[in-house]
Amino acid sequence: MAPPQPLRKLVPSTGSSTIEDKLPFVLSTVRADPDVLQRMKDDQVVDLIRVTDAEISKLQALQLRAIADLSVRRRRVPGTASEVALALSITEHRAGAMVSAANALIARLPRMLNLMDDGRLDLYRAMKVTDATAWLSRDHVRLVDATLEDRVPGRNATQVRRAAAYAAAQVDPEGAEQRTERSFVERRLALHHQDTGVTSLSINNAPTEKATAAYARIDRAARAMKTPDESRTLDQLRADVAMDLLLSGMGGASERTEVFLHVDLATYLGVNDFPAILAGRGPVAASVARRIISGSDTTLRRVLTDPRSGQAIELSPTRYPLDPAHDEFIRVRDRECRQPGCTRPAQNCGIEATRAQGEIAEAADQPVTYCSRHRRLKGQPDWDYEVTPDGTVNVATPTGRMHSTTPPSMDSGRRRANRSRKKSRR
């Protein structure tokens, strides 16, 4: 069967014009005949989605430049956010966030704005960077801007937020520690009544290790109640269990849970303040990592890493056998679900054999961590998964597009920063 025709085959040729140049024609064609989309091949539809997203990002960059210019013009008369809110029929809260993002991108993060101009970063992901760097000085934020330039394209919003938060904590560890302490001081219990007669109850800025342990206790109780005769979903059960625990006044025995905290030896010893990584949750300040490590119930595991790649190659033999297929080692190595873009912690994932490729093709399938959702996706028709000799997981979508993820480096942030410094010296 012949391969699908690319999108450019659907529009007339006009010399050297690109697909982007032909989008107005495609738009008018689809408006005139909506069924044209149904006649496209899957690959053509995905191509159209990708190209239109890039064009939207470019338009968003232009819009932000206009908003920033308006903000300068209205400097003596506050109310830019109100004016933008009225012009766009959005809330003032949303408009204020856009004004702040526009000013930050123009004055502090020009490389991120250039990525938007190129269609490689949209407004939603750009605002993850502006939010994560708002507390940095101008000098520090320029360093983060340069560091992220090659790291955010092609990453989803969660990955962009984590990358920005890690880079910010790395350039100003003292500021990151102070920010964490301020957030902890501001911890609170929030009650929000909704219009539908229900209410949201949340604890904000709780210590990560305690919140994780509390969730683990609630989740364990909810799963125990999920029998074949139970009609409630797990989410409903978790909510009901949490309310029952609060109203019963019975704290019960202290709960222990397992989290993977990746911290280098120098940070552990206090020699430096590189941020640590809490699997499934992103960077945490060095002071927070040392507090977690010093807990009475904390157990340390030595993990040996490859000096070149920073990837885990061996787990301490004092507790676990040196078997690369051992479940605990695999979870430590993978840190999170290996589906590209998924951030579910590895300790909440299952381990599933995945087809080997290349030099290991003749060996047994390789065990890799996947969350329950992506374990199911792996078994769907037209989705293909394979593991290369270096541990890279390649995922082919039904349209044949390839997405890859490698086992995370234990010190990837520092290695990237070092590479960035070497490039700047050149």
Side-chain angles (χ1 to χ4, degrees):
M1 183 176 64
Q5 295 295 314
L7 181 62
R8 60 178 62 90
K9 295 295 185 181
L10 298 177
V11 295
S13 175
T14 54
S16 59
S17 61
T18 64
I19 295 176
E20 289 81 357
D21 297 329
K22 300 171 184 176
L23 277 180
F25 177 84
V26 177
L27 178 60
S28 61
T29 300
V30 172
R31 282 178 173 175
D33 181 12
D35 291 340
V36 71
L37 290 173
Q38 299 178 12
R39 294 194 293 272
M40 290 183 181
K41 303 293 186 180
D42 288 357
D43 191 59
Q44 294 170 338
V45 173
V46 174
D47 199 19
L48 181 60
I49 292 171
R50 179 186 57 79
V51 170
T52 52
D53 185 69
E55 292 303 298
I56 290 170
S57 297
K58 296 175 185 178
L59 290 173
Q60 288 175 330
L62 178 60
Q63 183 184 57
L64 290 179
R65 292 180 188 277
I67 289 174
D69 182 79
L70 181 66
S71 180
V72 172
R73 298 184 186 203
R74 300 292 187 265
R75 184 172 297 169
R76 296 180 181 178
V77 183
T80 305
S82 299
E83 192 170 358
V84 172
L86 291 172
L88 300 181
S89 299
I90 58 178
T91 64
E92 289 203 15
H93 178 76
R94 172 64 178 171
M98 292 180 67
V99 172
S100 296
N103 291 331
L105 288 163
I106 292 289
R108 291 162 55 87
L109 296 158
R111 294 173 188 255
M112 296 300 101
L113 186 58
N114 288 341
L115 289 177
M116 294 186 67
D117 287 331
D118 294 338
R120 303 171 66 196
L121 184 69
D122 61 16
L123 175 59
Y124 182 65
R125 290 180 294 154
M127 291 179 71
K128 296 297 182 182
V129 179
T130 59
D131 291 345
T133 59
W135 56 279
L136 289 175
S137 68
R138 184 178 293 270
D139 290 338
H140 283 148
V141 80
R142 288 301 178 99
L143 292 174
V144 172
D145 192 31
T147 298
L148 295 179
E149 185 175 22
D150 297 328
R151 294 172 59 183
V152 298
R155 301 294 183 91
N156 63 35
T158 298
Q159 292 170 323
V160 169
R161 174 182 58 80
R162 288 186 179 181
Y166 188 97
Q170 193 171 45
V171 299
D172 187 7
E174 183 177 351
E177 181 176 350
Q178 293 173 354
R179 187 166 179 251
T180 298
E181 292 303 321
R182 284 197 300 270
S183 296
F184 182 66
V185 169
E186 295 169 357
R187 64 191 182 278
R188 63 191 177 94
L189 181 69
L191 189 70
H192 177 66
H193 297 293
Q194 302 178 26
D195 296 335
T196 54
V198 295
T199 298
S200 297
L201 180 68
S202 62
I203 300 175
N204 299 329
N205 298 335
T208 297
E209 67 276 16
K210 289 187 177 182
T212 302
Y215 182 88
R217 177 181 181 182
I218 293 167
D219 181 67
R220 189 176 296 110
R223 291 181 182 277
M225 296 170 62
K226 188 58 178 171
T227 63
D229 297 329
E230 176 57 66
S231 61
R232 288 175 292 180
T233 66
L234 269 176
D235 282 335
Q236 293 170 339
L237 285 168
R238 292 188 192 102
D240 293 345
V241 167
M243 292 300 297
D244 290 343
L245 285 171
L246 287 171
L247 293 174
S248 70
M250 298 175 61
S254 61
E255 186 72 16
R256 295 188 63 185
T257 188
E258 180 182 64
V259 297
F260 292 159
L261 178 70
H262 299 265
V263 55
D264 64 27
L265 181 60
T267 301
Y268 168 58
L269 296 175
V271 176
N272 65 39
D273 285 319
F274 285 124
I277 298 293
L278 194 62
R281 289 155 185 85
V284 296
S287 59
V288 175
R290 286 192 283 266
R291 188 186 73 225
I292 295 174
I293 291 173
S294 63
S296 59
D297 290 332
T298 298
T299 300
L300 299 181
R301 299 285 190 272
R302 187 195 73 218
V303 181
L304 299 183
T305 60
D306 187 307
R308 295 165 298 181
S309 66
Q311 295 176 0
I313 57 175
E314 183 179 295
L315 194 63
S316 172
T318 58
R319 288 292 301 273
Y320 302 106
L322 294 179
D323 177 5
H326 192 279
D327 287 2
E328 190 68 16
F329 172 82
I330 294 167
R331 289 191 170 95
V332 169
R333 178 200 67 192
D334 288 354
R335 191 183 300 177
E336 296 171 351
C337 171
R338 291 295 304 281
Q339 176 78 11
C342 184
T343 57
R344 189 165 182 81
Q347 65 267 36
N348 296 336
C349 294
I351 295 176
E352 186 159 316
T354 305
R355 178 171 57 83
Q357 179 265 337
E359 297 175 5
I360 57 175
E362 300 301 324
D365 291 347
Q366 301 301 301
V368 174
T369 55
Y370 300 103
C371 66
S372 57
R373 177 179 181 179
H374 293 121
R375 289 179 74 184
R376 291 193 296 270
L377 181 65
K378 180 174 175 289
Q380 293 298 311
D382 301 324
W383 285 85
D384 185 60
Y385 288 70
E386 68 175 11
V387 182
T388 65
D390 65 355
T392 298
V393 174
N394 293 322
V395 181
T397 69
T399 60
R401 296 180 182 273
M402 188 71 70
H403 302 268
S404 302
T405 173
T406 58
S409 167
M410 297 297 188
D411 56 355
S412 57
R414 184 170 70 251
R415 291 176 183 276
R416 291 191 185 101
N418 290 337
R419 286 198 294 269
S420 296
R421 284 194 288 269
K422 290 178 181 177
K423 289 180 181 178
S424 63
R425 283 197 291 268
R426 295 194 189 105

Coordinates of all heavy atoms in Angstrom, one line a residue, residues 288-358:
V288 N 15.6 20.9 51.4 CA 14.5 20.0 51.6 C 14.9 18.5 51.4 O 14.5 17.6 52.2 CB 13.4 20.3 50.5 CG1 12.2 19.3 50.6 CG2 12.9 21.7 50.7
A289 N 15.8 18.3 50.5 CA 16.3 16.9 50.3 C 17.1 16.4 51.5 O 16.9 15.3 52.0 CB 17.3 16.9 49.1
R290 N 17.9 17.3 52.1 CA 18.6 16.9 53.3 C 17.7 16.7 54.5 O 17.9 15.8 55.3 CB 19.7 18.0 53.6 CG 20.9 17.9 52.7 CD 22.1 18.8 53.2 NE 21.8 20.2 52.9 CZ 22.3 20.8 51.9 NH1 22.9 20.2 50.9 NH2 22.1 22.1 51.7
R291 N 16.6 17.4 54.5 CA 15.6 17.2 55.6 C 15.0 15.9 55.5 O 14.7 15.1 56.5 CB 14.6 18.3 55.6 CG 13.6 18.3 56.8 CD 12.5 19.3 56.7 NE 11.5 18.9 55.7 CZ 11.0 19.7 54.8 NH1 11.4 20.9 54.7 NH2 10.1 19.2 53.9
I292 N 14.6 15.5 54.2 CA 14.0 14.2 54.0 C 15.0 13.1 54.3 O 14.6 12.1 55.0 CB 13.5 14.1 52.5 CG1 12.4 15.1 52.2 CG2 13.1 12.7 52.2 CD1 12.0 15.1 50.8
I293 N 16.2 13.3 53.9 CA 17.2 12.2 54.2 C 17.5 12.0 55.7 O 17.7 10.9 56.2 CB 18.6 12.6 53.5 CG1 18.4 12.5 52.0 CG2 19.7 11.7 54.0 CD1 19.6 13.0 51.2
S294 N 17.4 13.1 56.5 CA 17.6 13.0 57.9 C 16.5 12.5 58.7 O 16.6 12.3 59.9 CB 18.0 14.4 58.4 OG 16.9 15.3 58.3
G295 N 15.3 12.1 58.0 CA 14.2 11.6 58.7 C 14.5 10.3 59.4 O 15.3 9.5 59.0
S296 N 13.8 10.0 60.5 CA 14.1 8.8 61.3 C 13.8 7.5 60.6 O 14.4 6.5 60.8 CB 13.4 8.9 62.6 OG 12.0 9.0 62.4
D297 N 12.8 7.6 59.7 CA 12.4 6.4 59.0 C 13.0 6.3 57.5 O 12.7 5.4 56.8 CB 10.9 6.3 58.8 CG 10.3 6.1 60.2 OD1 10.9 5.5 61.0 OD2 9.1 6.5 60.4
T298 N 14.0 7.2 57.2 CA 14.5 7.2 55.9 C 15.6 6.1 55.7 O 16.4 5.9 56.6 CB 15.2 8.6 55.6 OG1 14.2 9.6 55.6 CG2 15.8 8.6 54.2
T299 N 15.5 5.5 54.6 CA 16.5 4.4 54.3 C 17.3 4.9 53.1 O 16.7 5.3 52.1 CB 15.9 3.1 54.0 OG1 15.1 2.7 55.2 CG2 16.9 2.0 53.7
L300 N 18.6 4.8 53.1 CA 19.4 5.3 52.0 C 19.8 4.0 51.2 O 20.1 3.0 51.7 CB 20.7 6.0 52.5 CG 20.5 7.3 53.3 CD1 21.8 7.9 53.6 CD2 19.6 8.3 52.4
R301 N 19.9 4.2 49.9 CA 20.4 3.2 49.0 C 21.5 3.8 48.1 O 21.4 4.9 47.6 CB 19.3 2.7 48.0 CG 18.1 2.1 48.7 CD 18.5 0.7 49.3 NE 17.3 0.0 49.7 CZ 16.8 0.1 51.0 NH1 17.4 0.9 51.8 NH2 15.7 -0.5 51.3
R302 N 22.6 3.2 48.0 CA 23.7 3.6 47.2 C 23.4 3.2 45.7 O 23.2 2.0 45.5 CB 25.1 3.1 47.6 CG 26.2 3.7 46.8 CD 27.5 2.8 47.0 NE 27.4 1.6 46.3 CZ 27.9 0.4 46.7 NH1 28.4 0.3 47.9 NH2 27.7 -0.7 46.0
V303 N 23.5 4.1 44.8 CA 23.2 3.8 43.4 C 24.5 4.3 42.6 O 24.9 5.5 42.7 CB 22.0 4.6 42.8 CG1 21.8 4.2 41.4 CG2 20.8 4.2 43.7
L304 N 25.1 3.4 41.9 CA 26.3 3.7 41.1 C 25.8 4.1 39.8 O 24.9 3.6 39.2 CB 27.2 2.5 41.0 CG 27.8 1.9 42.3 CD1 28.8 0.8 42.0 CD2 28.5 3.0 43.0
T305 N 26.4 5.2 39.2 CA 26.0 5.7 37.9 C 27.2 5.7 37.0 O 28.3 5.7 37.4 CB 25.5 7.2 38.1 OG1 26.6 8.0 38.6 CG2 24.3 7.3 39.0
D306 N 26.8 5.6 35.7 CA 27.8 5.7 34.6 C 28.4 7.1 34.6 O 27.7 8.1 34.5 CB 27.2 5.4 33.3 CG 28.2 5.3 32.2 OD1 29.0 6.2 32.0 OD2 28.2 4.3 31.4
P307 N 29.8 7.3 34.7 CA 30.3 8.6 34.8 C 30.1 9.4 33.5 O 30.2 10.6 33.5 CB 31.8 8.3 35.0 CG 32.0 6.9 34.5 CD 30.8 6.2 34.8
R308 N 29.8 8.7 32.4 CA 29.6 9.5 31.1 C 28.2 9.9 30.9 O 27.9 11.0 30.6 CB 30.1 8.6 30.0 CG 31.6 8.3 29.9 CD 31.9 7.1 29.0 NE 31.2 5.9 29.4 CZ 31.3 4.7 28.8 NH1 32.0 4.6 27.7 NH2 30.6 3.7 29.2
S309 N 27.3 9.0 31.2 CA 25.9 9.3 31.0 C 25.1 9.7 32.2 O 24.0 10.4 32.1 CB 25.1 8.1 30.3 OG 25.1 7.0 31.2
G310 N 25.6 9.3 33.4 CA 24.9 9.6 34.6 C 23.8 8.7 34.9 O 23.0 8.9 35.9
Q311 N 23.5 7.7 34.1 CA 22.4 6.7 34.3 C 22.8 5.7 35.3 O 24.0 5.3 35.4 CB 22.1 6.1 33.0 CG 21.5 7.1 31.9 CD 21.2 6.4 30.6 OE1 21.4 5.2 30.4 NE2 20.7 7.2 29.6
A312 N 21.8 5.2 36.0 CA 22.0 4.2 37.1 C 22.4 2.9 36.4 O 21.9 2.4 35.4 CB 20.7 4.0 37.9
I313 N 23.5 2.2 37.0 CA 24.0 1.0 36.5 C 24.0 -0.1 37.6 O 24.2 -1.3 37.3 CB 25.4 1.1 35.8 CG1 26.4 1.7 36.8 CG2 25.3 2.0 34.6 CD1 27.8 1.7 36.2
E314 N 24.0 0.3 38.8 CA 24.1 -0.7 39.9 C 23.4 -0.2 41.2 O 23.5 1.0 41.5 CB 25.6 -1.0 40.2 CG 25.8 -2.1 41.2 CD 27.3 -2.4 41.4 OE1 27.9 -2.8 40.4 OE2 27.8 -2.1 42.5
L315 N 22.7 -1.1 41.9 CA 22.1 -0.7 43.1 C 22.9 -1.4 44.3 O 23.4 -2.5 44.1 CB 20.6 -1.2 43.1 CG 19.7 -0.7 44.2 CD1 19.6 0.8 44.1 CD2 18.3 -1.3 44.1
S316 N 22.9 -0.8 45.4 CA 23.7 -1.3 46.5 C 23.5 -2.8 46.8 O 22.3 -3.2 47.0 CB 23.3 -0.5 47.8 OG 24.0 -1.0 48.9
P317 N 24.5 -3.6 46.8 CA 24.4 -5.0 47.1 C 24.1 -5.3 48.5 O 23.8 -6.5 48.9 CB 25.8 -5.6 46.7 CG 26.7 -4.4 47.0 CD 25.9 -3.2 46.6
T318 N 24.1 -4.3 49.4 CA 23.8 -4.6 50.8 C 22.4 -5.0 51.1 O 22.0 -5.6 52.1 CB 24.1 -3.4 51.7 OG1 23.4 -2.3 51.2 CG2 25.6 -3.0 51.6
R319 N 21.5 -4.6 50.1 CA 20.1 -4.9 50.3 C 19.5 -5.7 49.1 O 18.6 -6.5 49.3 CB 19.3 -3.6 50.5 CG 19.4 -3.0 51.8 CD 18.8 -3.8 53.0 NE 17.4 -4.1 52.8 CZ 16.5 -3.2 53.2 NH1 16.8 -2.1 53.8 NH2 15.2 -3.5 53.0
Y320 N 20.0 -5.4 47.9 CA 19.4 -6.0 46.7 C 20.5 -6.7 45.9 O 21.6 -6.2 45.8 CB 18.8 -4.9 45.9 CG 17.7 -4.2 46.6 CD1 17.9 -2.9 47.0 CD2 16.5 -4.8 46.8 CE1 16.9 -2.2 47.7 CE2 15.5 -4.1 47.5 CZ 15.7 -2.8 47.9 OH 14.7 -2.1 48.6
P321 N 20.2 -7.8 45.3 CA 21.1 -8.5 44.4 C 21.5 -7.7 43.2 O 20.6 -6.9 42.7 CB 20.4 -9.8 44.0 CG 19.0 -9.5 44.2 CD 18.9 -8.5 45.3
L322 N 22.7 -7.8 42.7 CA 23.1 -7.1 41.5 C 22.5 -7.7 40.3 O 23.3 -8.2 39.4 CB 24.6 -7.0 41.5 CG 25.2 -6.2 42.6 CD1 26.8 -6.2 42.5 CD2 24.7 -4.8 42.6
D323 N 21.2 -7.7 40.2 CA 20.6 -8.3 39.0 C 19.9 -7.2 38.3 O 19.0 -6.5 38.8 CB 19.5 -9.3 39.5 CG 18.7 -9.9 38.4 OD1 19.1 -9.6 37.2 OD2 17.8 -10.7 38.6
P324 N 20.3 -6.9 37.1 CA 19.8 -5.7 36.3 C 18.3 -5.9 36.1 O 17.6 -4.9 35.7 CB 20.6 -5.7 35.0 CG 21.1 -7.1 34.9 CD 21.4 -7.6 36.3
A325 N 17.7 -7.1 36.2 CA 16.3 -7.3 35.9 C 15.5 -7.2 37.2 O 14.3 -7.3 37.2 CB 16.1 -8.6 35.3
H326 N 16.2 -6.9 38.4 CA 15.5 -6.8 39.6 C 14.5 -5.6 39.6 O 14.8 -4.6 39.2 CB 16.5 -6.6 40.8 CG 15.9 -6.8 42.1 ND1 15.2 -5.8 42.8 CD2 15.9 -7.9 43.0 CE1 14.8 -6.2 43.9 NE2 15.2 -7.5 44.1
D327 N 13.3 -5.9 40.1 CA 12.2 -4.9 40.0 C 12.7 -3.6 40.7 O 12.4 -2.5 40.2 CB 11.0 -5.4 40.7 CG 10.2 -6.4 39.9 OD1 10.8 -6.8 38.8 OD2 9.2 -6.9 40.3
E328 N 13.3 -3.7 41.9 CA 13.7 -2.4 42.6 C 14.7 -1.6 41.8 O 14.6 -0.4 41.7 CB 14.2 -2.8 44.0 CG 14.4 -1.6 44.9 CD 13.1 -1.0 45.3 OE1 12.1 -1.6 45.1 OE2 13.1 0.2 45.8
F329 N 15.7 -2.3 41.2 CA 16.7 -1.6 40.4 C 16.0 -1.0 39.2 O 16.4 0.2 38.9 CB 17.8 -2.6 39.9 CG 18.7 -2.0 38.9 CD1 19.8 -1.2 39.4 CD2 18.5 -2.2 37.6 CE1 20.6 -0.6 38.4 CE2 19.4 -1.6 36.6 CZ 20.4 -0.8 37.1
I330 N 15.1 -1.6 38.6 CA 14.5 -1.1 37.4 C 13.7 0.2 37.7 O 13.8 1.2 37.0 CB 13.5 -2.1 36.8 CG1 14.3 -3.3 36.2 CG2 12.7 -1.5 35.6 CD1 13.5 -4.5 35.9
R331 N 13.0 0.2 38.9 CA 12.3 1.4 39.3 C 13.2 2.5 39.6 O 13.0 3.7 39.4 CB 11.4 1.1 40.4 CG 10.2 0.2 40.0 CD 9.1 0.1 41.1 NE 7.9 -0.5 40.6 CZ 7.7 -1.8 40.8 NH1 8.5 -2.6 41.4 NH2 6.5 -2.3 40.3
V332 N 14.4 2.2 40.3 CA 15.4 3.2 40.6 C 16.0 3.8 39.3 O 16.2 5.0 39.2 CB 16.5 2.7 41.5 CG1 17.6 3.6 41.6 CG2 15.9 2.4 42.9
R333 N 16.3 2.9 38.4 CA 16.9 3.3 37.1 C 15.9 4.2 36.3 O 16.3 5.3 35.8 CB 17.2 2.1 36.3 CG 17.8 2.4 34.9 CD 17.7 1.2 34.0 NE 16.3 0.9 33.7 CZ 15.9 -0.3 33.1 NH1 16.8 -1.2 32.8 NH2 14.6 -0.4 32.9
D334 N 14.7 3.8 36.2 CA 13.7 4.5 35.3 C 13.1 5.7 36.0 O 12.7 6.7 35.3 CB 12.6 3.5 34.9 CG 13.1 2.5 33.9 OD1 14.3 2.6 33.5 OD2 12.3 1.6 33.5
R335 N 13.0 5.7 37.3 CA 12.5 6.9 38.0 C 11.1 7.2 37.8 O 10.3 7.4 38.8 CB 13.4 8.1 37.7 CG 13.1 9.3 38.7 CD 13.9 10.5 38.3 NE 15.3 10.3 38.3 CZ 16.2 11.2 38.0 NH1 15.8 12.4 37.5 NH2 17.5 10.9 38.0
E336 N 10.6 7.2 36.6 CA 9.2 7.5 36.2 C 8.8 6.5 35.1 O 9.6 5.8 34.5 CB 9.1 8.9 35.8 CG 9.4 9.9 36.9 CD 9.4 11.4 36.4 OE1 9.4 11.6 35.2 OE2 9.5 12.3 37.2
C337 N 7.5 6.6 34.8 CA 7.0 5.8 33.6 C 7.8 6.2 32.4 O 8.1 7.4 32.2 CB 5.5 6.1 33.4 SG 4.8 5.5 31.9
R338 N 8.2 5.2 31.6 CA 9.0 5.5 30.5 C 8.3 5.9 29.2 O 8.9 6.1 28.2 CB 9.9 4.2 30.2 CG 10.9 3.9 31.2 CD 12.0 5.0 31.3 NE 12.6 5.2 30.1 CZ 13.6 4.3 29.6 NH1 14.0 3.3 30.3 NH2 14.1 4.6 28.4
Q339 N 7.0 6.0 29.3 CA 6.2 6.6 28.2 C 6.7 8.1 28.0 O 6.7 8.8 29.0 CB 4.7 6.6 28.4 CG 3.9 7.3 27.3 CD 3.7 6.4 26.1 OE1 4.0 5.3 26.1 NE2 3.2 7.0 25.1
P340 N 7.1 8.5 26.8 CA 7.6 9.9 26.6 C 6.6 10.9 27.2 O 5.4 10.8 26.8 CB 7.8 10.0 25.1 CG 8.1 8.6 24.7 CD 7.2 7.7 25.6
G341 N 7.0 11.7 28.1 CA 6.2 12.8 28.6 C 5.4 12.4 29.9 O 4.9 13.3 30.5
C342 N 5.4 11.1 30.3 CA 4.7 10.7 31.5 C 5.6 10.9 32.7 O 6.8 10.6 32.7 CB 4.2 9.3 31.3 SG 3.2 8.7 32.8
T343 N 5.0 11.4 33.8 CA 5.8 11.7 35.0 C 5.3 10.9 36.2 O 5.6 11.3 37.3 CB 5.7 13.2 35.3 OG1 4.4 13.6 35.5 CG2 6.4 14.0 34.2
R344 N 4.5 9.9 36.0 CA 4.1 9.1 37.1 C 5.3 8.4 37.7 O 6.1 7.7 37.0 CB 3.0 8.0 36.7 CG 2.4 7.3 37.8 CD 1.1 6.6 37.4 NE 0.4 5.9 38.5 CZ -0.4 6.6 39.3 NH1 -0.6 7.8 39.2 NH2 -1.0 5.9 40.3
P345 N 5.4 8.4 39.1 CA 6.6 7.8 39.7 C 6.7 6.3 39.5 O 5.7 5.6 39.4 CB 6.3 8.1 41.2 CG 5.4 9.3 41.3 CD 4.6 9.1 40.0
A346 N 7.9 5.9 39.3 CA 8.2 4.5 39.0 C 7.6 3.5 40.1 O 7.2 2.4 39.8 CB 9.7 4.2 38.8
Q347 N 7.6 4.0 41.3 CA 7.2 3.1 42.4 C 5.7 2.8 42.3 O 5.2 1.9 42.9 CB 7.5 3.6 43.8 CG 6.9 4.9 44.2 CD 7.8 6.1 43.9 OE1 8.5 6.1 42.8 NE2 7.8 7.1 44.7
N348 N 5.0 3.6 41.5 CA 3.5 3.4 41.3 C 3.3 2.8 39.9 O 2.1 2.8 39.5 CB 2.8 4.8 41.3 CG 2.8 5.4 42.7 OD1 3.0 4.7 43.7 ND2 2.7 6.7 42.8
C349 N 4.3 2.3 39.3 CA 4.2 1.7 37.9 C 4.4 0.2 38.0 O 5.0 -0.3 38.9 CB 5.3 2.3 37.0 SG 5.0 4.1 36.6
G350 N 3.9 -0.4 36.9 CA 4.2 -1.8 36.8 C 5.5 -2.0 35.9 O 5.9 -1.1 35.3
I351 N 6.0 -3.2 35.8 CA 7.2 -3.5 35.0 C 6.8 -4.5 34.0 O 6.2 -5.5 34.3 CB 8.3 -4.0 35.9 CG1 8.8 -3.0 36.9 CG2 9.5 -4.5 35.0 CD1 9.8 -3.5 37.8
E352 N 7.0 -4.1 32.7 CA 6.6 -5.0 31.6 C 7.7 -5.2 30.6 O 8.5 -4.3 30.3 CB 5.4 -4.3 30.9 CG 4.7 -5.2 29.9 CD 3.3 -4.8 29.6 OE1 2.6 -4.5 30.5 OE2 3.0 -4.7 28.4
A353 N 7.8 -6.4 30.1 CA 8.8 -6.7 29.1 C 8.5 -6.0 27.8 O 7.4 -5.8 27.4 CB 8.8 -8.2 28.8
T354 N 9.6 -5.5 27.2 CA 9.5 -4.7 26.0 C 10.5 -5.2 25.0 O 11.6 -5.5 25.3 CB 9.8 -3.2 26.3 OG1 8.9 -2.7 27.4 CG2 9.6 -2.3 25.1
R355 N 10.0 -5.3 23.8 CA 10.8 -5.9 22.7 C 12.2 -5.2 22.6 O 12.3 -4.0 22.5 CB 10.1 -5.8 21.4 CG 10.9 -6.3 20.2 CD 10.0 -6.4 18.9 NE 9.4 -5.1 18.6 CZ 10.0 -4.1 17.9 NH1 11.2 -4.3 17.5 NH2 9.4 -3.0 17.7
A356 N 13.3 -6.0 22.6 CA 14.6 -5.5 22.4 C 14.9 -5.2 21.0 O 14.4 -5.8 20.1 CB 15.6 -6.5 23.0
Q357 N 15.9 -4.3 20.8 CA 16.3 -4.0 19.4 C 17.8 -3.8 19.3 O 18.5 -3.7 20.3 CB 15.7 -2.6 19.1 CG 16.0 -2.0 17.7 CD 17.1 -1.1 17.7 OE1 17.4 -0.5 18.7 NE2 17.8 -0.9 16.6
G358 N 18.3 -3.9 18.1 CA 19.7 -3.8 17.9 C 20.6 -4.9 18.4 O 20.2 -6.1 18.2

